[in-house]
Amino acid sequence: MHKDIATPARTREILEKYGFSFKKSLGQNFLIDTNILRRIVDHAELTETSAVIEIGPGIGALTEQLAKRSKKVMAFEIDQRLLPILEDTLSPYENVTIVHQDILKADVQSRIDEILKGFEDIMVVANLPYYVTTPIIMKLLEEKLPIRGIVGMLQKEVADRISAKPGTKEYGSLSIAVQYYTKAETVMIVPKTVFIPQPNVDSAVIRLTLRENPAVAVKDESFFFQVTRASFAQRRKTILNNLTSQLPGGKEKKEGIQAALKKAGIEETRRGETLSIEEFGALSDALYELFK
Ligand code: SAM
């Protein structure tokens, strides 16, 4: 039996063997704690028929645990220098395919059709590069990929915003964007000491479980998101003030906006952060005719 990749000693050995230097600009903070990795994988609830999409395998610490616990792993890695290392460290596992691509530019659906063809259960599991956490999560959700969910390590501050409930200071358009598509929970808080190098911020693991249908049915999704972003533009302002100042031609349409708020049953003096996702749905539908 070989040693797990995710131990301080083996990680150091691999980094030295290849003279690898971390690129901060690529969010390279590798995990060196096998227990934490196993717990992350537990949250994905994989079975022997599951497939996994990983983003940023690094030197393969998480990839190895995923390979042991699923049928197939497809991992996107942007850094070419890691490819020969991964080939070496993951050589015991035949069920891993590394795709050398920037996840944000990748045609993920085509890669699924090609590499994960026939899989009914696909999970995304990743220790995400923190400089692009939000764009990656939004891309995976907006592209409506055939995935069951996402288990991801990210900055605790972003995890808090994603899983925030109405009425809290973390609640905002990101909470709504993610909760529209998924049920979001923070499942672990992770200390800095399990990474090399240690990141500057605290970390957490979130689990996003895709909903069968969006949290609320709306006439027009992109208008719904436009209305939520507008409502949070200036947090201290009332919903009426934000909508009139942020929506195109809003100032001239103030009376119409007031009527729409009334129709949706929302007091115009409330603040965006107090509205539930259902209320934003009712509001964007009530405003729809006025702006479309
Ligand atoms: N999975 C490894 C682990 O847990 O030890 C490494 C995680 S590290 C936080 C993030 C990884 O994502 C790095 O390997 C980095 O090179 C890679 N990466 C950064 N930006 C990327 C992108 N846009 N597309 C794909 N991979 C990316």
Side-chain angles (χ1 to χ4, degrees), residues 25-32 37 54-63 76-79 82 101-104 126-132 136 195:
S25 62
L26 290 179
Q28 291 178 338
N29 302 95
F30 296 170
L31 281 164
I32 48 167
L37 284 166
E54 189 192 354
I55 295 139
I59 60 169
L62 174 58
T63 326
F76 289 88
E77 176 55 63
I78 197 172
D79 188 349
L82 289 166
Q101 240 176 356
D102 176 344
I103 185 70
L104 293 176
N127 172 16
L128 291 164
Y130 290 180
Y131 74 106
V132 277
I136 292 175
F195 299 92

Side-chain angles (χ1 to χ4, degrees), residues 239-252:
I239 182 101
L240 176 63
N241 276 337
N242 267 328
L243 293 173
T244 49
S245 63
Q246 298 296 322
L247 291 175
K251 291 207 174 61
E252 296 77 58

Side-chain angles (χ1 to χ4, degrees), residues 86-106:
L86 286 163
E87 194 153 335
D88 176 6
T89 58
L90 297 176
S91 60
Y93 307 97
E94 286 175 359
N95 57 343
V96 178
T97 301
I98 305 292
V99 181
H100 177 219
Q101 240 176 356
D102 176 344
I103 185 70
L104 293 176
K105 296 195 182 135

